[in-house]
Amino acid sequence: MKTPVRAALALAVLSGALWAGPASAAGTAPHTTPATWSHRAEAAYGALQQHLYQGPQEHGLYQEKTPRAEGENPHSYLWPLREAAAATVDMSELPHVGPRYARDAAERFDALRLYFDPRDGRPGYDSYLPAPLGQGGDVFYDDNAVVGLSFLDQYRATGKRLYLDRARETYAVVSRGWDEDPAKPCPGGMHWVDSPGNTMRAANVTGLSAQLAAELYAIGRDDRVLESAKRWYEWNWSCLRRSPGLYNNSRDDDGTVNEALWSYNSGAMIGTATTLYRATGDRRYLDRAVDDAKGSLAYWEQDDRLHDQPAIFNAFYFDNLRILDEERPDPAYRAAAAAYADRTWQENRTPSDGLFRFQPSGGGDHAPAAPAETLEQSAMVQIFAGLASDPS
């Protein structure tokens, strides 16, 4: 039997299905007022809750995907749950309707804590649930960095000190990832995973950790945290930046560079530089953020590059463009997010259940037979909610 809340969410899914009309031409965004984006956010969130959320009886956790194949874990990995938490915080901040999602947001963070493992003095959020709910997993520093960023989002939304304390705790976790070996090519950088076998220093973890440190400094004004933010940001800038706004994926310990480009690496550096500008007043950071935004948009808006990126990477990217837009407004930022969001609503959403389906990469064209995933469904909630919360 559905609770009244679950029934309301099912109604939101139904209204989302009825809302969808004929597909528009790619790149157009008809009827995209803030109210429309809010409606789409609610419909996407309703589908997430109806089809992937496992309920209080399952500790407020989510499935990784639906349908779940035989032999797969009963619950999602950490990263999808983090994105569901981020999406729910965004829902709680929607104009007019946000308060109705505040309880859901608190529940998401209780569920996130189930992944925390104190593990012999090297604590962190495991990639999968530790005992008794699961078999545990490695501490991936990029996962931990984004968990810390979500704690800060929830702290700002609620003012509750617990979330700030947990963000600071997570900053201590990711700080272990900094490589101290001066003999390596381009010394420094953050390890991807807490493992003796790690040989990769990656743009994602280094940029996201820098962003976490910058945001913590903006709140607490701890000079040691500021030094971390600057050092980590500068390593990405000097060791992985290919051109304005484009960052190579990683550098191996032997000097080999993985030149894959991802939109969220562009975003993390834009957001970090903007936050450093806000916190320090140093305009060099703002100028860098603007250069990276212009350079990245010039690249990502070519052909189907944004369309083919994983939806969750684009959620990070657009979120960080909004951060910059608050300091140095440019209508191009919102236009890029709106065009992507509308195309994805029209082309990747299955009207019968309100779920978004992509290629195995998490992006690209609609794959009707593919399972829908918590990770990408949450990404679309975040993108729609971000557009709904932007009054421009």
Side-chain angles (χ1 to χ4, degrees), residues 66-213:
T66 186
R68 179 163 62 91
E70 185 177 353
E72 290 183 336
N73 288 327
H75 309 294
S76 79
Y77 285 97
L78 172 65
W79 189 20
L81 178 59
R82 183 273 175 184
E83 299 312 329
T88 313
V89 175
D90 289 346
M91 294 298 297
S92 75
E93 296 179 333
L94 283 175
H96 310 300
V97 300
R100 73 179 65 161
Y101 298 101
R103 182 178 295 180
D104 284 13
E107 183 191 80
R108 296 299 96 80
F109 287 90
D110 290 342
L112 267 179
R113 194 62 178 178
L114 298 174
Y115 291 76
F116 187 79
D117 188 348
R119 58 147 46 84
D120 299 328
R122 292 184 72 83
Y125 288 84
D126 282 5
S127 58
Y128 192 69
L129 291 153
L133 295 177
Q135 70 275 15
D138 290 324
V139 171
F140 285 85
Y141 290 124
D142 56 337
D143 287 357
N144 277 256
V146 295
V147 166
L149 288 167
S150 278
F151 278 129
L152 287 181
D153 286 342
Q154 180 71 343
Y155 168 69
R156 285 186 287 260
T158 66
K160 292 184 178 180
R161 180 62 181 258
L162 171 66
Y163 299 119
L164 177 59
D165 289 343
R166 288 189 171 168
R168 287 172 169 158
E169 176 187 57
T170 309
Y171 162 77
V173 172
V174 301
S175 295
R176 299 197 313 258
W178 180 254
D179 192 293
E180 298 282 1
D181 186 351
K184 291 179 181 177
C186 217
M190 307 287 286
H191 292 183
W192 180 47
V193 60
D194 188 6
S195 169
N198 179 81
T199 61
M200 183 174 70
R201 296 163 290 154
N204 61 354
V205 58
T206 309
L208 293 164
S209 296
Q211 189 168 14
L212 174 61

Side-chain angles (χ1 to χ4, degrees), residues 127-333:
S127 58
Y128 192 69
L129 291 153
L133 295 177
Q135 70 275 15
D138 290 324
V139 171
F140 285 85
Y141 290 124
D142 56 337
D143 287 357
N144 277 256
V146 295
V147 166
L149 288 167
S150 278
F151 278 129
L152 287 181
D153 286 342
Q154 180 71 343
Y155 168 69
R156 285 186 287 260
T158 66
K160 292 184 178 180
R161 180 62 181 258
L162 171 66
Y163 299 119
L164 177 59
D165 289 343
R166 288 189 171 168
R168 287 172 169 158
E169 176 187 57
T170 309
Y171 162 77
V173 172
V174 301
S175 295
R176 299 197 313 258
W178 180 254
D179 192 293
E180 298 282 1
D181 186 351
K184 291 179 181 177
C186 217
M190 307 287 286
H191 292 183
W192 180 47
V193 60
D194 188 6
S195 169
N198 179 81
T199 61
M200 183 174 70
R201 296 163 290 154
N204 61 354
V205 58
T206 309
L208 293 164
S209 296
Q211 189 168 14
L212 174 61
E215 292 192 13
L216 281 169
Y217 174 75
I219 294 169
R221 299 290 166 172
D222 184 329
D223 287 342
R224 294 170 299 177
V225 176
L226 175 61
E227 179 58 32
S228 294
K230 290 179 174 180
R231 182 170 64 249
W232 300 345
Y233 170 85
E234 291 294 343
W235 187 84
N236 262 9
W237 178 274
S238 62
C239 291
L240 291 177
R241 191 173 189 255
R242 184 189 303 183
S243 64
L246 301 179
Y247 291 82
N248 292 320
N249 180 75
S250 58
R251 182 180 286 271
D252 288 349
D253 289 348
D254 65 3
T256 302
V257 175
N258 180 332
E259 296 185 349
L261 297 173
W262 304 108
S263 56
Y264 75 149
N265 288 334
S266 301
M269 292 295 282
I270 292 166
T272 301
T274 306
T275 303
L276 284 170
Y277 163 71
R278 286 176 173 173
T280 67
D282 188 338
R283 292 191 66 85
R284 291 176 299 173
Y285 290 116
L286 182 59
D287 291 342
R288 284 185 174 189
V290 170
D291 285 346
D292 273 359
K294 290 180 177 178
S296 63
L297 276 176
Y299 177 84
W300 290 117
E301 288 194 298
Q302 288 185 43
D303 304 320
D304 278 343
R305 285 173 176 168
L306 269 178
H307 175 70
D308 290 340
Q309 284 283 292
I312 189 57
F313 290 2
N314 290 337
F316 278 83
Y317 182 53
F318 297 138
D319 185 56
N320 283 292
L321 287 177
R322 280 194 298 276
I323 292 172
L324 175 58
D325 196 48
E326 292 171 2
E327 298 296 331
R328 184 72 67 81
D330 188 330
Y333 306 152

Side-chain angles (χ1 to χ4, degrees), residues 1-39:
M1 178 176 178
K2 291 182 178 178
T3 65
V5 172
R6 298 278 294 206
L9 290 170
L11 180 60
V13 175
L14 177 59
S15 65
L18 293 174
W19 185 275
S24 64
T28 64
H31 314 301
T32 46
T33 64
T36 300
W37 293 125
S38 183
H39 171 87

